[in-house]
Amino acid sequence: MKDRTGSDRFPRRRRARPPAHRKRALPAGKGRASARPARRTARRPSAAAEPGAVQGADRTGARGEEAWRPPAVSVIIPVMNEKRTLARVIREAYRVHPRTEVIAVLNGSTDGSLAIAKASGARVLAFDRPLGHDVGRAVGAREAAGDTLLFVDADMVIPAARLRDFTEAIERGTDIALNDYSGPRKRPVVHNVILAKHALNALLGRPDLEGASMTAVPHAMSRRALAAIGAEALAVPPLAMTKAIHAGMNIKRVRHIDVGSLNRPRTKRERTGSLEPLIIGDHLEAIGWWLKRDGSGPPKPAAEALGGDGA
Amino acid sequence: MRNGVSAGSMKKSFKGKRPRKVPAGGRTVGRAASRTGSRRPLAARPGAGRRQRRSARTHRQSASGRISRAFAAKAAGSAAARWQREGAADGAAWRAAHPAGTAEELWPYAQRAWTEKAHGSLASASRAERKRLCRDGSAYAAGIRQGSGMEVPGELLPLKGTASAVVYAGADAQRLRAVLAELERLPLVEIVVVLGPDALPMQAELLSHPRIVTVGSPDGYASPHAARAAGARLTGADTVLFADGAEPCPARLLGLLLVEADAGADAVLSDRTAQEGTFDRRGGASWLREFLNVTLGKPGLRANAVGGVPFALSRRALDAIGPEALEMPARAQASLLASGLRVAVCDDVPFSGERDSPSSAADYHTAAWLDCLSARGARLGFPDHKRNRQAIGGGGDGSDDGRHPQL
């Protein structure tokens, strides 16, 4: 027994598949992809059969031994160098629903996130260069098979119990379930991104949404909503939101998750390449679409939509 | 006074503030410390940090050659006294030359004299200095009263050009009288009163005022903005002041708007953001106004915009946007900013509080953005260079300005 090698290295009983909950609890990078519990094998059959569906994408982790059942929830996680939190994010994603597929859209990752995503059992769409802000979500959504799509970020570990509020809202009939996060706004001057979200919602006749937006994660959407707005619109979240409102989708603020405090500070990025101009431009793009939609004239929000001051 | 200062530059000014230095090892500083023999570090003593900051500020100002606040107040006081003395001499001279002159004749004389005297200082004056000149005008007027024995019936403003006012008169006659009483204290060549349907009976009374011109439409006007736009068409003055016909504003404050526009600003706005409170309480219309300013590159204007009375426009601004643009204030604001005209906010002048119907704000802003986005592209120059939209088959909407070059 001492000099056992290869397949005989461990006693037979140790090679038996452990219970699902124990396996999921393994720390990042320690789990073996082949040891996924059966419920994670819920995948669209075409995924493995169409390797060229996404250019440059490398799909792994397909195990087609069992009869395929469509996933109820697709969790889409754009990843760019997030090895610190990725395994925990994927683990929580799998806990959202018994039939969950996790789609990790790796773009420009060079820190070993790919190995972590594969080891965690996620379906991986890998791109060798960064796709840019929000494009990963759109790419992931296009490949998703679930009836509910849940969008989370790879740098933010949110417990499954909280994420479940979003997917359950979709199951109850909401089309888009937003994070009820408006940012710090009990002050005279707010960040321009917060201003942009409030202004767009007011212009679209939905001031009740306050600063809630598809720009912020987590949020979930129904397949119906995805079909109405198109996956490509998700690359510009305010535009997606505008299209959803125009399509008459049922949009609600579901639960407050303070992503402001969960987001790690990126002082260097704020100094050198702040996202503020990008997000303001996105909101303008959305306004432009709203004004020109269907060739009709500007829409008229409800009279009560804008509150007291209209000057 | 402030104009469109970007958030970035505001941040820089905060960054420039030096951190407070605490002596290493908790060295005690000051008479009290040595008297009590306290060994507590400076920062640990109550009020010590504040005292140190104050003393450091005074020291910095002295070192950089700036005058202290106390000295500035004294200098301002002596300047006012000097202007009062000059006013007394000029008033006495006028009285000697016009023994039977009336106060109405004295005012144009005093106004001309004050403009000539202030003109040299005005040429290179900062906003603060222009504001001080307005205060000095009061001192000079007091001197005129002293020398002539007659009250100057209005404000003395250092205006190089002509000025007029446009007011929309609603139903409240009493308030309109109060508004006109303030406007008549300003050196205006004319006051255009646009009469709403309910104010038409006041026309005869108003025409008894020598400087008042009335205009009205039997059908009325779509909004106070439309009425003021109609009034603006009638005036050819170099600066036009737009005032609320239902809420009197002191002539002294309205004069600040005129002086600022006369000195070179194309639009001078009253400050409404100070009254609106925190962001969450402001409401959709205010968010739209502020976001329009942000998208047009003027975040420093906050939620202030043309249309919020009182405000003043230069002739250059009126010619550039056309008086009819004022019917839709957001459109006029966008047009001013897109034309590169200088828009300033006068912190001292409060917004009157005139409200529109809520839905009209959305109409005005959609029209403004429609103009801008049609003329300058889908993102108004806010770039999107890093997004690879090709990976998702295009995405987005509108023209591809500011997008990734390979897309």
Side-chain angles (χ1 to χ4, degrees):
Chain A
M1 293 294 279
K2 238 182 197 176
D3 301 316
R4 212 178 263 140
T5 57
S7 61
D8 285 329
R9 187 181 289 167
F10 300 106
R12 188 172 179 77
R13 66 179 180 278
R14 289 205 178 179
R15 280 188 282 155
R17 177 174 287 181
H21 70 274
R22 277 189 56 202
K23 198 67 204 174
R24 284 204 309 279
L26 280 174
K30 295 276 174 69
R32 290 180 299 163
S34 60
R36 282 289 140 218
R39 73 179 190 182
R40 295 187 199 174
T41 60
R43 285 196 173 78
R44 200 172 59 169
S46 61
E50 301 167 10
V54 175
Q55 281 191 342
D58 168 27
R59 293 173 186 172
T60 60
R63 285 165 298 282
E65 296 91 0
E66 298 170 25
W68 183 80
R69 289 178 66 200
V73 176
S74 297
V75 184
I76 291 126
I77 313 172
V79 184
M80 197 175 94
N81 295 333
E82 310 288 2
K83 71 172 181 183
R84 200 170 52 88
T85 49
L86 181 59
R88 282 179 288 157
V89 170
I90 293 175
R91 193 171 64 217
E92 294 300 328
Y94 271 121
R95 287 176 178 167
V96 168
H97 193 277
R99 281 189 295 123
T100 297
E101 73 166 349
V102 176
I103 300 175
V105 185
L106 277 94
N107 57 117
S109 275
T110 53
D111 68 341
S113 296
L114 178 64
I116 294 170
K118 282 179 174 176
S120 302
R123 195 174 139 202
V124 177
L125 306 176
F127 294 81
D128 57 355
R129 278 186 290 182
L131 291 173
H133 219 63
D134 308 308
V135 179
R137 280 185 215 156
V139 169
R142 194 173 58 184
E143 297 297 307
D147 294 328
T148 299
L149 287 80
L150 175 66
F151 298 89
V152 296
D153 274 358
D155 61 346
M156 210 177 278
V157 185
I158 300 168
R162 295 188 190 178
L163 295 175
R164 219 171 280 135
D165 287 343
F166 295 90
T167 57
E168 285 173 358
I170 301 297
E171 285 166 15
R172 285 194 300 270
T174 303
D175 289 306
I176 296 180
L178 297 174
N179 180 1
D180 184 12
Y181 175 77
S182 294
R185 55 189 211 126
K186 288 190 187 301
R187 50 183 72 173
V189 183
V190 300
H191 196 279
N192 283 335
V193 170
I194 296 174
L195 169 68
K197 293 172 181 177
H198 281 81
L200 180 64
N201 287 341
L203 193 71
L204 301 180
R206 291 296 308 269
D208 57 300
L209 293 176
E210 298 182 348
S213 166
M214 288 173 72
T215 303
V217 288
H219 62 263
M221 68 163 58
S222 65
R223 183 147 290 281
R224 185 175 97 100
L226 183 68
I229 64 178
E232 70 283 354
L234 296 174
V236 184
L239 177 64
M241 179 115 154
T242 305
K243 286 185 172 180
I245 290 175
H246 178 237
M249 294 292 115
N250 180 11
I251 303 174
K252 281 185 182 163
R253 294 181 290 154
V254 167
R255 177 187 178 126
H256 174 81
I257 291 180
D258 188 358
V259 284
S261 63
L262 288 172
N263 247 330
R264 67 186 157 92
R266 291 178 167 92
T267 44
K268 189 181 170 191
R269 187 181 77 183
E270 281 303 308
R271 230 179 10 249
T272 58
S274 168
L275 288 176
E276 185 183 309
L278 175 82
I279 295 176
I280 290 174
D282 288 354
H283 282 78
L284 283 170
E285 218 174 305
I287 290 172
W289 182 88
W290 176 256
L291 297 179
K292 289 186 283 188
R293 69 207 159 90
D294 301 336
S296 59
K300 287 191 186 297
E304 66 277 9
L306 293 172
D309 178 11
Chain B
M1 278 287 181
R2 60 183 155 78
N3 64 358
V5 181
S6 71
S9 66
M10 283 168 74
K11 268 185 189 167
K12 273 180 195 165
S13 68
F14 284 117
K15 270 187 201 163
K17 196 173 174 182
R18 290 180 194 166
R20 181 160 56 92
K21 287 179 184 171
V22 177
R27 182 168 58 88
T28 54
V29 181
R31 197 185 299 164
S34 58
R35 202 167 46 231
T36 57
S38 167
R39 291 287 172 194
R40 292 172 72 189
L42 179 70
R45 282 184 281 123
R50 196 166 57 242
R51 276 197 298 276
Q52 192 194 33
R53 277 198 297 277
R54 195 182 300 147
S55 99
R57 191 161 53 235
T58 312
H59 176 73
R60 273 203 301 276
Q61 283 174 344
S62 308
S64 64
R66 284 190 210 161
I67 54 173
S68 72
R69 200 175 291 173
F71 182 79
K74 196 175 170 185
S78 65
R82 181 168 65 86
W83 287 122
Q84 189 166 348
R85 279 197 302 277
E86 280 202 31
D90 291 349
W94 182 85
R95 196 65 178 136
H98 304 85
T102 62
E104 282 65 37
E105 290 164 344
L106 171 64
W107 188 19
Y109 162 78
Q111 172 64 29
R112 270 197 310 277
W114 174 240
T115 303
E116 280 169 22
K117 285 174 195 295
H119 186 66
S121 317
L122 203 59
S124 58
S126 65
R127 286 177 183 143
E129 285 164 341
R130 280 195 292 274
K131 204 169 138 185
R132 203 184 64 232
L133 271 174
C134 289
R135 282 201 301 271
D136 290 345
S138 303
Y140 182 76
I144 290 276
R145 184 181 62 227
Q146 200 181 326
S148 66
M150 277 192 294
E151 188 79 46
V152 178
E155 298 289 321
L156 298 184
L157 301 174
L159 300 179
K160 289 173 282 182
T162 56
S164 64
V166 174
V167 183
Y168 172 62
D172 195 334
Q174 202 61 37
R175 288 210 163 234
L176 179 64
R177 285 188 195 101
V179 169
L180 292 176
E182 291 296 335
L183 288 175
E184 286 186 331
R185 291 184 53 76
L186 292 170
L188 302 169
V189 291
E190 63 190 353
I191 301 169
V192 180
V193 181
V194 186
L195 298 166
D198 298 332
L200 283 171
M202 293 173 65
Q203 190 163 22
E205 180 195 339
L206 292 172
L207 288 175
S208 65
H209 293 250
R211 285 188 289 161
I212 288 180
V213 177
T214 62
V215 60
S217 163
D219 302 329
Y221 297 93
S223 67
H225 304 295
R228 285 191 285 268
R233 285 190 203 104
L234 299 180
T235 171
D238 299 325
T239 303
V240 181
L241 172 70
F242 297 86
D244 189 349
E247 190 62 42
C249 177
R252 179 178 56 81
L253 297 179
L254 295 174
L256 293 175
L257 298 175
L258 289 176
V259 168
E260 208 52 39
D262 188 77
D266 293 302
V268 191
L269 313 175
S270 51
D271 186 17
R272 64 195 306 164
T273 45
Q275 305 166 22
E276 288 183 330
T278 56
F279 180 82
D280 56 324
R281 291 171 168 266
R282 279 166 37 191
S286 174
W287 301 336
L288 289 177
R289 276 196 308 275
E290 184 165 359
F291 190 52
L292 181 67
N293 287 335
V294 167
T295 56
L296 293 170
K298 292 288 178 188
L301 294 175
R302 303 274 311 280
N304 298 307
V306 166
V309 279
F311 66 96
L313 293 179
S314 69
R315 175 53 45 194
R316 191 160 73 123
L318 276 169
D319 290 344
I321 64 172
E324 61 282 352
L326 295 172
E327 290 179 20
M328 292 190 132
R331 207 172 192 174
Q333 174 85 355
S335 184
L336 281 169
L337 295 178
S339 309
L341 295 170
R342 209 177 130 217
V343 182
V345 179
C346 196
D347 295 336
D348 302 281
V349 184
F351 167 59
S352 76
E354 181 188 80
R355 298 283 190 263
D356 282 348
S357 65
S359 61
S360 56
D363 290 345
Y364 299 157
H365 284 85
T366 48
W369 271 308
L370 200 58
D371 289 349
C372 297
L373 295 169
S374 308
R376 293 169 56 191
R379 298 179 67 93
L380 296 183
F382 285 90
D384 177 11
H385 295 309
K386 291 180 181 168
R387 223 178 235 143
N388 181 356
R389 298 192 192 207
Q390 207 169 37
I392 192 65
D397 178 68
S399 64
D400 55 355
D401 64 321
R403 294 217 190 132
H404 194 285
Q406 295 173 0
L407 301 186

